Amino acid sequence: MQRERLEYMDWLRVLATAAVVLFHCCMFFTPVDWHMKNATTSTALFLAVAVMDLWLMPLFFLLSGMASWLSLGGRSPWRYVQERSLRLLIPYYGVGVFVLLPPQCWFDRITHAGLTESFLSFYPDYFSTLHLGPSPFFLGFWSGHLWFLRMLFLVSMAGLPIVLALRSAWAQGWLERRAEALAGLVPSRRTGLQALVTLTPFLLLVSAMDLMLRPMPGRFTWESFGCFLTHFIIGACLMTSPRLRDAPARAWAWLLGLALLCTLLYLGMMLGGFASPLTGDLPYWKVVLVRLVRGGGIFGWVAALLGLGMRFLPAGGPALRAMAAAAMPVYILHQTVLLIIGAFVIPRDWSIAGKFSVIAVVSSILIVLLVRYAIWPYRWVRFAFGMK
């Protein structure tokens, strides 16, 4: 059973990493601010980004919480801290800060500040972006997409004592009894609805945290940290009880319906002039409504994807193990590669579909080749990219 669960978690991590690459391919062509922009935008790609933004990063943090619960069953807390430091901080402060992030920052400055100097002239200036303010990025540099590595490290450290507590027999028994009591509210023949009711406290928690903290898409602050920590803890909670662990698989259809309903409402609010969730300038009653709908969409998608993965993803093998191992370097590399390819493609007088296709295909091929031939064969390079 544990082997199967690790395999579906690996599948979801691999698929989510591929989705991140597509997400950032879309960002060239949306009205949302980014490091490099096309002259024209696409409403379809904007909607795709809005939908993926609901579940993509929450899924990563929830999977990390699940993996941390399993990991702490076979290693000490100190070993866990060591592993997190090596896999997350070494890539950020090493290859990230010195190789991959300076080009991204250079492109960003060209886009937003009209920078005209060459990359080599700009390179020393990148290190003046050291952040000393009281934020999750204290002692960090301009981070681009590698904000995720620092944020995941902070969330893992903050969540460590909670996950350790959840591994106690008392906590596991308490959560199992609460889940059983909730399931008892629904007739036993309605197994899907039973599972959905069992997951309701987590749904309410996600919506409440989104309402109270009000994180803004693309702004990674302490508010975002609080929401990501919530998903991390929920992931660990799901692993404590067989009833909770299996609930997403039994309720996947209900969860998918919830996700689709909340997503349609959320997109309707954005496009219909009812509210502007991306700015936050709303009357309080609209804030409550938007955040509750958004929270339902976030949890609905994340839990539905878990359930679908448990039910329908195939058994793993050598190919899955290789893809799971490559997920971290693919994530670390992808945005720098996308921007370099984009710098050649975006100025062309092509359609959005043509530009998107070229950026996506060429970048994906280049990333795979770099991982296979420049990273995988060399132990020290693997270490620098956070590979085990």
Side-chain angles (χ1 to χ4, degrees):
M1 180 65 72
Q2 180 171 319
R3 178 174 175 270
E4 291 177 357
R5 293 188 187 285
L6 286 171
E7 287 177 349
Y8 92 79
M9 289 164 60
D10 284 342
W11 269 119
L12 289 173
R13 196 176 294 112
V14 167
L15 294 173
T17 301
V20 168
V21 178
L22 289 176
F23 179 95
H24 286 135
C25 287
C26 295
M27 287 297 292
F28 289 101
F29 309 104
T30 71
V32 181
D33 187 37
W34 202 53
H35 315 302
M36 185 183 298
K37 302 301 296 183
N38 194 54
T40 56
T41 60
S42 165
T43 300
L45 293 181
F46 169 70
L47 293 176
V49 163
V51 173
M52 285 192 285
D53 182 67
L54 286 174
W55 58 265
L56 194 48
M57 302 319 295
L59 179 61
F60 275 116
F61 283 96
L62 187 133
L63 289 172
S64 183
M66 297 171 72
S68 294
W69 194 92
L70 290 170
S71 176
L72 287 164
R75 69 183 67 183
S76 68
W78 173 239
R79 290 282 296 172
Y80 175 82
V81 172
Q82 285 182 309
E83 187 266 344
R84 293 284 85 186
S85 300
L86 292 176
R87 292 206 70 199
L88 300 174
L89 296 185
I90 293 297
Y92 175 82
Y93 283 107
V95 69
V97 166
F98 288 97
V99 179
L100 297 174
L101 292 175
Q104 292 187 40
C105 188
W106 181 60
F107 286 125
D108 188 83
R109 295 289 173 84
I110 291 173
T111 298
H112 295 102
L115 185 72
T116 57
E117 64 180 323
S118 68
F119 172 69
L120 291 179
S121 298
F122 167 78
Y123 185 82
D125 295 338
Y126 169 77
F127 298 96
S128 66
T129 66
L130 178 66
H131 189 78
L132 299 176
S135 82
F137 298 100
F138 176 71
L139 293 182
F141 296 87
W142 188 96
S143 296
H145 69 301
L146 297 187
W147 68 268
F148 172 67
L149 300 185
R150 280 183 57 89
M151 186 71 80
L152 181 55
F153 177 79
L154 292 176
V155 166
S156 299
M157 295 304 100
L160 174 58
I162 301 172
V163 177
L164 288 172
L166 289 171
R167 288 199 62 85
S168 69
W170 179 88
Q172 294 180 54
W174 187 87
L175 284 168
E176 174 65 20
R177 290 191 296 273
R178 300 288 79 76
E180 186 176 350
L182 287 171
L185 299 175
V186 179
S188 58
R189 66 180 183 277
R190 306 293 298 275
T191 56
L193 186 57
Q194 262 192 346
L196 179 66
V197 172
T198 301
L199 295 171
T200 299
F202 302 125
L203 166 62
L204 296 176
L205 178 60
V206 169
S207 294
M209 293 299 290
D210 202 68
L211 173 60
M212 289 188 295
L213 298 178
R214 304 185 196 179
M216 299 306 298
R219 301 177 193 174
F220 305 111
T221 60
W222 287 119
E223 290 77 12
S224 303
F225 167 83
C227 289
F228 291 141
L229 178 60
T230 300
H231 295 295
F232 182 90
I233 294 169
I234 290 174
C237 287
L238 291 176
M239 301 302 290
T240 62
S241 157
R243 187 182 294 273
L244 288 174
R245 193 161 52 237
D246 296 336
R250 289 185 284 118
W252 71 267
W254 288 91
L255 291 164
L256 185 59
L258 173 67
L260 292 171
L261 175 61
C262 290
T263 299
L264 289 174
L265 291 172
Y266 183 63
L267 295 179
M269 290 174 180
M270 284 197 295
L271 298 177
F274 169 80
S276 182
L278 298 181
T279 66
D281 300 326
L282 306 174
Y284 185 71
W285 71 271
K286 287 189 176 182
V287 170
V288 172
L289 185 57
V290 169
R291 291 293 177 175
L292 289 177
V293 169
R294 175 181 155 86
I298 292 171
F299 184 78
W301 278 116
V302 171
L305 290 169
L306 277 179
L308 289 166
M310 295 171 72
R311 288 287 299 272
F312 301 113
L313 287 177
L320 175 60
R321 289 194 291 272
M323 290 188 292
M328 178 65 85
V330 167
Y331 181 87
I332 292 171
L333 280 172
H334 83 275
Q335 187 159 291
T336 301
V337 173
L338 288 178
L339 288 171
I340 291 172
I341 300 301
F344 292 96
V345 173
I346 291 300
R348 306 291 178 182
D349 188 21
W350 300 345
S351 67
I352 289 178
K355 292 180 181 181
F356 177 88
S357 300
V358 171
I359 292 173
V361 172
V362 174
S363 297
S364 297
I365 293 172
L366 183 56
I367 291 166
V368 170
L369 292 175
L370 286 170
V371 172
R372 176 63 183 87
Y373 295 106
I375 298 175
W376 197 282
Y378 307 106
R379 185 174 180 180
W380 66 272
V381 183
R382 289 165 60 92
F383 173 77
F385 278 86
M387 296 181 71
K388 294 181 180 179

